[in-house]
Amino acid sequence: MAESHGEAKGPETGAHTEADGGHHSGAFPPFESSTFASQLVSLAIFFVVLYVIVSKLALPKVGGAIEARQNKIEGDLAEAQKLKDQSEAALKAYEGELASARSRAQAIGNESRDKANAQAEAERKALEEQLATKLAEAEKTIASTRTAAMSNVRGIAADAAGTIVQQLTGVVPDAASVSAAVDASLKG
Amino acid sequence: MKIDPIHQFNIEPLFTIGHIGNHTIAFTNSSLYMLVAVAIISILMLASGSQLVPGRLQSVAEISYEFVASTIRSTAGAEGMKFFPLVFSLFMFLCVSNLVGVIPYTFTISSHLIVTVALALLVFFTVLIYGVAKNGLKFFKIFVPHGVPGYILPLVMFIEVLSFFLRPVSHSVRLFANMLAGHIALKVFAGFVAMLGFSLGAIGWVGGVLPLALTISLYALEILVAFLQAYVFAILTCIYLNDAIHPGH
């Protein structure tokens, strides 16, 4: 076991393998100089091929995909921000319009109420005036009718008194005394 | 029952591509796993779609992208993003190949020093060349820290220069040694289970539960190490690149 472990490191490894008659020319493979040229040539070929593939095809492609994604994300974020700004502006405009509409509605309400009040007032005044004139006219008519009626009452009362006296006494009374008596009783 | 924890690191040529000088260049199992790593990364990054809402595969691709990008930004600043393809390639290549390497019977590319040295030197020379090209002689200010008294400045500069040139060593050996040691330890402990069982019979199989439990915990640790060493390699790359971009600090 210790021997096998010793093989892992140290220069005696090569000697050991050699002594064991390893199937190659005997040296420790990594130090076998006859294989160096082949390894170097194939390394040069394949590393150059890899470098060309990586620098011309692989990195531009993968980097492009990453960049495209980055751009897309940034573009989408910018678009979202723009839309958000737009909707906020629209909301603000809406609120402003709502406020102005509300104040306008109030103004219109106030105005129309004032107008209606004034109209009603004017109508009321006109009506009152009309009524007052009518009342005055009516009072005048009543007064004149009353005067006429009063004068008619005196005539009728005098006639009625003359007729009653004639019926009761059979004597036609003197018109002047009858009217004097009627006047006296009307005053009484 | 003989444990051979080194066998897994053997380079097996699959077929020969050509010759450079007197070196035979072969397509090996290492090459195959490099191809596998490149294929997995390409599929992950290219076949995962570009949906607005990512699916699973696309999420993994994007998380890898963001992870490496944020690592660079936090260690080397925004200017460090110039080196994004390099750091991303390094991180993904090591991370994927290390994770594939943890699967039993596979091969781990970064368990070979030559590979990690090559990658570390790539970073080292990128830092050196870019640093000098961008900052001129000012680049060498990184060897002269601020606020050091004049009489110990030569010593400090010597240490700074030495540590700068030792960077590729520590950068590469850290990754290589971690992957190598982890895989050997895993193989050794897993081997104990079989060794105990075959040599001691029933008692051995019962006793083998202990190293088996250890193997399972080590395996979990190795998955972590596979990712972590790739990350450490990438973040050190960023820190070294930061010196080239901002040599004044």
Side-chain angles (χ1 to χ4, degrees):
Chain A
M1 278 188 189
E3 192 189 37
S4 314
H5 209 68
E7 275 181 358
K9 284 157 202 163
E12 68 264 62
T13 312
H16 185 84
T17 321
E18 205 164 14
D20 272 2
H23 10 240
H24 257 249
S25 53
F28 183 51
F31 300 136
E32 212 170 340
S33 57
S34 62
T35 66
F36 286 1
S38 297
Q39 288 192 71
L40 283 177
V41 168
S42 39
L43 178 67
I45 292 167
F46 287 115
F47 196 75
V48 166
V49 168
L50 178 67
Y51 185 87
V52 170
I53 290 173
V54 161
S55 61
K56 299 288 173 210
L57 301 172
L59 294 184
K61 177 194 154 279
V62 176
I66 292 172
E67 202 171 326
R69 180 174 315 119
Q70 195 65 33
N71 289 342
K72 173 95 176 98
I73 290 170
E74 274 168 11
D76 285 359
L77 281 180
E79 179 73 17
Q81 185 64 40
K82 207 180 82 186
L83 289 176
K84 194 180 160 226
D85 288 351
Q86 267 178 11
S87 71
E88 270 173 5
L91 185 69
K92 217 168 254 179
Y94 162 75
E95 274 174 355
E97 214 139 288
L98 192 69
S100 79
R102 201 171 279 154
S103 68
R104 216 165 48 217
Q106 206 158 8
I108 290 171
N110 283 344
E111 200 184 323
S112 58
R113 199 178 54 225
D114 289 352
K115 217 156 88 183
N117 279 352
Q119 204 177 346
E121 188 73 10
E123 269 174 18
R124 195 172 58 83
K125 263 187 191 151
L127 203 61
E128 268 176 7
E129 258 166 45
Q130 217 178 337
L131 286 176
T133 16
K134 272 190 184 167
L135 197 63
E137 264 173 30
E139 271 173 1
K140 231 186 263 173
T141 319
I142 289 167
S144 65
T145 313
R146 196 170 155 214
T147 324
M150 283 312 272
S151 60
N152 287 350
V153 165
R154 192 181 156 272
I156 291 164
D159 284 351
T163 312
I164 290 163
V165 169
Q166 192 190 350
Q167 287 289 319
L168 286 175
T169 60
V171 182
V172 178
D174 174 37
S177 61
V178 169
S179 65
V182 166
D183 281 343
S185 98
L186 277 174
K187 270 177 191 148
Chain B
M1 179 73 197
K2 184 174 142 312
I3 297 175
D4 183 8
I6 305 302
H7 175 78
Q8 58 180 323
F9 302 115
N10 280 342
I11 297 282
E12 314 278 1
L14 301 179
F15 54 87
T16 304
I17 301 169
H19 299 270
I20 297 177
N22 52 1
H23 293 291
T24 306
I25 306 302
F27 188 90
T28 62
N29 53 347
S30 176
S31 318
L32 180 66
Y33 281 97
M34 289 176 191
L35 175 64
V36 167
V38 172
I40 289 175
I41 297 166
S42 304
I43 290 167
L44 171 67
M45 300 306 289
L46 297 178
S48 53
S50 306
Q51 302 300 312
L52 193 60
V53 178
R56 288 180 198 178
L57 202 61
Q58 197 189 339
S59 283
V60 175
E62 288 181 3
I63 288 166
S64 319
Y65 181 100
E66 298 278 15
F67 179 69
V68 176
S70 71
T71 303
I72 297 174
R73 282 199 202 97
S74 62
T75 50
E79 267 185 90
M81 290 305 280
K82 258 179 237 172
F83 296 100
F84 189 28
L86 176 67
V87 178
F88 189 84
S89 302
L90 281 171
F91 172 73
M92 291 304 277
F93 186 67
L94 291 174
C95 190
V96 169
S97 64
N98 286 353
L99 286 174
V100 168
V102 181
I103 300 167
Y105 297 108
T106 58
F107 176 83
T108 311
I109 302 163
S110 54
S111 68
H112 277 253
L113 189 57
I114 188 72
V115 171
T116 62
V117 162
L119 293 177
L121 284 176
L122 171 69
V123 173
F124 179 78
F125 284 110
T126 305
V127 168
L128 198 62
I129 293 167
Y130 180 80
V132 172
K134 181 173 179 275
N135 306 292
L137 289 177
K138 274 190 204 157
F139 174 67
F140 297 101
K141 267 198 201 161
I142 60 166
F143 301 132
V144 189
H146 289 297
V148 176
Y151 55 93
I152 58 163
L153 195 58
L155 181 65
V156 171
M157 274 175 66
F158 173 72
I159 293 169
E160 288 284 336
V161 170
L162 194 67
S163 77
F164 181 80
F165 285 99
L166 283 178
R167 273 175 184 181
V169 177
S170 62
H171 202 186
S172 57
V173 169
R174 180 180 296 108
L175 173 61
F176 155 71
N178 267 288
M179 298 318 293
L180 183 81
H183 280 77
I184 290 174
L186 209 52
K187 198 81 161 202
V188 167
F189 282 111
F192 284 164
V193 182
M195 197 169 70
L196 279 171
F198 284 118
S199 56
L200 299 177
I203 306 166
W205 288 117
V206 174
V209 168
L210 221 66
L212 182 66
L214 207 59
T215 307
I216 292 168
S217 6
L218 263 181
Y219 194 81
L221 182 71
E222 276 313 300
I223 294 173
L224 176 70
V225 167
F227 164 77
L228 207 62
Q229 285 304 320
Y231 177 61
V232 166
F233 197 93
I235 205 164
L236 282 173
T237 302
C238 294
I239 291 168
Y240 297 160
L241 285 170
N242 185 42
D243 278 346
I245 299 164
H246 310 108
H249 297 288

